[in-house]
Amino acid sequence: MISAQSENGEHDASDPSQVEQVAARFGMPFVDLEHHEVDLELLRQFPSQDLFRERILPLHRDGNRVTVAVANPLNLEALQDLTIRTGLYSDAVVAAEEQIQRHLKNSLGVGGGTVQELVAMSKEEIDSLQAAAGDEIGDASQASSVVKLVNELIIEAVTLGASDIHIEPEEDDLEVRFRVDGLLHIQPMPAEIQRFRAAIVSRLKIMAKMNIAEKRLPQDGRIQLTVRGREIDIRASVIPMVHGESVVMRLLDKSRSQLSLDAVQFAPPLRTRWESLIHRPHGLILVTGPTGSGKTTTLYSSLCEIRRPDLKIITVEDPVEYNLRQISQIHVQTKIGLTFAAGLRSILRHDPDVVLIGEIRDSETATSAIQASMTGHLVFSTVHTNDAASTFTRLIDMGIEPYLVASTLQGVLAQRLVRRLCKICRQPWTPTPDQVPSDCVLPAEAQLWKSKGCRECRNSGYSGRIAIFEMLTTSSRVRSLCMQQSDATAIRDEAVREGMVTLRQDGWARVLAGETSLDELIRVCPLDDEEPA
């Protein structure tokens, strides 16, 4: 395909200004489709599989002539084929390939062309496809379309930077949602896709090495593949629902994973305190936060920071998300009795110096972690609590004696992820006094920013995420409160008096720095009397 890049290696096929130069070379008109509104009625008059394959977008019609945007100025054969199929003569203009693809996907859905190929099959072929989709050696001419459709779905998720794919059956529909920057977004899909949901699920089960015949019980699996030169690790979960099997896939892009404390982006004072904590010879260090808040990344980055030849580091995880050099990693398998607690008991006989437990879920695991930290080991793990102070009471609620919690727990790091404002389209914002929360102090000279939305951030106003933190180091006074079984509020108030920066305060600092918005801070860390934005 001729593109801006193929004409000149320095050109970008997704940059309209670069594509305009290519159009001028061929003596063809150029169109910027950034704000173009697609004519759906006109679009339906063309075979969608041809539009996707040839990167062609019909723009407007005048009698029996139609203006179409093309990414390849030399693709005359495709234009002739469209004329034969539709009876409409094509007048070509040049547009950026990325814009054409985006409009096609938004209008016809991801994999729209492939779905139309499936729809074109006869009823007998479709029935055969549904049966053969669960067989890797089935008729390649039939199964290839389903394989292609699933591949297109995964490629689109990777391209958008999604962390999860949700495939959810409804009574008469199949809904696909991508989680991007922590929020779920409905993905446009062709309406006809619901006819092939059984084949899609079967294909995913094959890829994840699940039992395709089992449709009554939940199943978990793993898929490893390469998408456009990037290694992608996918954790797949299939659960039977009322209207069929629901699939959720967690995507881990190994090529973009940066495991270092530099990538975690601690504030300088907090990083100094954290480094001091993780270099201690023994004790228990916990990271807390909701699912998907980056706890595992912080812990892995910390292990990479302290890793050295004279230290034996062993982890027990469910599942192992990153493969780390010079670190021994164990994958939990509860079906055969290899739980966190059982794994920890075994690895303590393996002469470790540092131990990472993926998560403290129950009393048995908590007891094992406490005992390991008391016998000269440095133990890292995660728990699920709302803030750092609540971790002390959570361990006591699990049945751990307060004096053991006080003597072994060296510190707790609570964290959340907030979306980062798009640097290209963010705009200045001056709030009124009643728009600023009571716990946030707005300096007179401060400049706040809010989201707007542009092509680069796909009109979300945000691009990527950053972490905000709350670190509680166990002082003598905090230990005393823990032994007295004081509530989390008392422990938190004492930590604040001793200089702890709360999640809200750290997030507010990010707002003042122009890295995120006030709305995003309130959404992620609301006060009791606040409504999330």
Side-chain angles (χ1 to χ4, degrees), residues 192-216:
E192 298 85 356
I193 195 174
Q194 60 90 17
R195 295 168 55 186
F196 311 101
R197 56 188 184 186
I200 292 170
V201 173
S202 294
R203 171 59 187 167
L204 289 170
K205 282 184 175 182
I206 290 172
M207 296 174 69
K209 296 179 174 57
M210 299 180 189
N211 181 0
I212 61 172
E214 179 56 74
K215 302 180 185 297
R216 302 165 300 170

Side-chain angles (χ1 to χ4, degrees), residues 311-323:
L311 276 184
K312 175 75 169 184
I313 303 176
I314 305 180
T315 73
V316 52
E317 309 167 59
D318 183 21
V320 174
E321 295 191 13
Y322 300 87
N323 294 319

